Amino acid sequence: LPKRDRMLTGLPSVNVTAGVAKGKVFFWHVNPNWNGEAAKEMYDALGVALRERYGNKRSFRVVEDGDTKGFQSGKGKKAKTEQRIESWLLPPRSPGWMPLDFNLWSDIEDRMLARGNDQKETMDMYVARLRRTALLTSSSVIDSCLGKIKANIDETVDSQGKNTKSLLE
């Protein structure tokens, strides 16, 4: 897109992988460059976080999009296998199935902007403020987003894929 059409042009941005469960953001990983090696590092850290939270289960399931640069790279897939992480892949460009991307991050972004910052902040300061804001997300916001994922997927399954227009509205 042309720069003028991008939202929040000129403000800092960062690529983050976050994990949510039981109404909380429990995993936070900053990805400086998103590629196979970054995915490997993220999955290694996610495996540790999942075992700390849920014990040494046989395997863990996560939901992710079909991003070929990281999640589905050879290094990413190998790291998932090593960490006993199974992924449920959502189709690309399916906003109705990914309300975390659109609702949760929108909520965090709104709260970041509302709090503002009167001073210049370094990228490290920005990332720390972003993390604090994400970790303070209310469980009702997270639960609502997770409920939307389930409802939208159930709607698609019930319609047997025949009428999914309402998912995109």
Side-chain angles (χ1 to χ4, degrees):
L1 293 173
K3 228 177 187 181
R4 62 181 159 67
D5 292 337
R6 290 193 182 159
M7 198 171 153
L8 303 175
T9 302
L11 294 179
S13 65
V14 63
N15 186 343
V16 172
T17 302
V20 297
K22 297 183 180 180
K24 293 278 185 203
V25 174
F26 78 93
F27 176 72
W28 184 265
H29 187 80
V30 176
N31 310 305
N33 298 303
W34 189 238
N35 55 33
E37 188 59 37
K40 180 198 176 322
E41 290 174 20
M42 185 275 298
Y43 283 119
D44 288 344
L46 179 59
V48 169
L50 287 167
R51 283 187 293 282
E52 284 175 359
R53 184 168 182 90
Y54 298 104
N56 200 14
K57 293 174 67 171
R58 203 171 84 181
S59 65
F60 300 95
R61 289 194 181 135
V62 299
V63 178
E64 57 192 22
D65 63 31
D67 167 41
T68 55
K69 282 175 55 179
F71 297 142
Q72 295 307 303
S73 68
K75 289 179 181 178
K77 286 179 177 181
K78 183 177 180 203
K80 280 190 272 192
T81 300
E82 290 170 356
Q83 294 298 327
R84 300 184 322 266
I85 296 172
E86 299 171 8
S87 59
W88 183 26
L89 297 178
L90 297 177
R93 294 172 294 286
S94 53
W97 283 17
M98 293 186 247
L100 290 174
D101 285 353
F102 298 96
N103 295 82
L104 181 61
W105 287 112
S106 292
D107 175 78
I108 292 169
E109 181 179 71
D110 289 347
R111 288 184 291 122
M112 287 282 289
L113 292 171
R115 286 186 184 158
N117 192 7
D118 296 338
Q119 61 184 3
K120 276 191 163 184
E121 60 186 352
T122 65
M123 182 58 87
D124 288 341
M125 292 167 63
Y126 173 79
V127 169
R129 186 166 64 96
L130 179 63
R131 181 177 186 275
R132 281 191 308 273
T133 303
L135 293 175
L136 292 173
T137 301
S138 74
S139 60
S140 62
V141 168
I142 292 171
D143 290 342
S144 173
C145 289
L146 294 175
K148 287 176 187 176
I149 291 173
K150 183 179 181 339
N152 291 347
I153 291 171
D154 286 348
E155 183 178 330
T156 301
V157 170
D158 290 346
S159 72
Q160 297 176 349
K162 293 177 185 162
N163 182 9
T164 58
K165 182 181 177 194
S166 65
L167 293 176
L168 303 176
E169 293 175 342

